[in-house]
Amino acid sequence: MRFNRNVPRENREYLRAELKKYEAEFDDMTKSEKDALYKWVASGRSPYDNGDYVCYEGGCPVDFISALRMWEEMANEEPPVPVYDTELDKTVFLATDLVHTEIDSNEELPFK
């Protein structure tokens, strides 16, 4: 792997070692994931970080491949069905469309 010119030489060895360890942990990477990862590390970034600042609940950053897979999974989900509001004259999404819950049509709602 060739690093970008702006990556200091002293960081390159550390990043190579990190990448080797990381690849051992993720042996199920696809070619496109591996290409994206190499490009990421070649720019001087750690494979244990992501560019979107996605973190676990404890505040630790999500690793690169996990974040990449998360975004791909979200992109493949079906979007919520839009509702057309005639008063606003624009498409709106209801909160229930964003949360995958089923409402029984016979259930009495707390509002009318």
Side-chain angles (χ1 to χ4, degrees):
M1 178 180 58
R2 295 182 59 142
F3 285 93
N4 296 355
R5 290 181 180 170
N6 63 338
V7 178
R9 292 192 186 279
E10 55 271 5
N11 293 4
R12 294 176 186 194
E13 282 188 46
Y14 176 75
L15 289 170
R16 274 193 191 99
E18 247 190 354
L19 180 61
K20 185 176 181 179
K21 179 182 170 191
Y22 186 80
E23 285 183 299
E25 294 171 16
F26 281 90
D27 57 350
D28 62 338
M29 275 190 282
T30 64
K31 180 167 175 18
S32 63
E33 287 174 340
K34 191 175 269 195
D35 291 343
L37 175 65
Y38 280 20
K39 191 178 210 179
W40 174 258
V41 174
S43 67
R45 299 179 182 115
S46 170
Y48 293 101
D49 200 4
N50 66 81
D52 298 317
Y53 305 107
V54 178
C55 294
Y56 293 109
E57 287 181 20
C60 296
V62 174
D63 63 86
F64 184 80
I65 296 296
S66 295
L68 187 67
R69 288 176 180 174
M70 180 191 72
W71 290 124
E72 287 175 1
E73 184 178 304
M74 287 175 65
N76 292 334
E77 286 183 1
E78 282 192 34
V81 178
V83 175
Y84 192 76
D85 187 341
T86 55
E87 289 180 27
L88 296 175
D89 199 32
K90 64 179 182 179
T91 302
V92 294
F93 291 96
L94 301 176
T96 55
D97 292 333
L98 302 175
V99 179
H100 301 288
T101 57
E102 292 290 325
I103 297 176
D104 182 12
S105 60
N106 297 326
E107 181 181 347
E108 188 171 324
L109 300 174
F111 55 87
K112 292 188 180 202

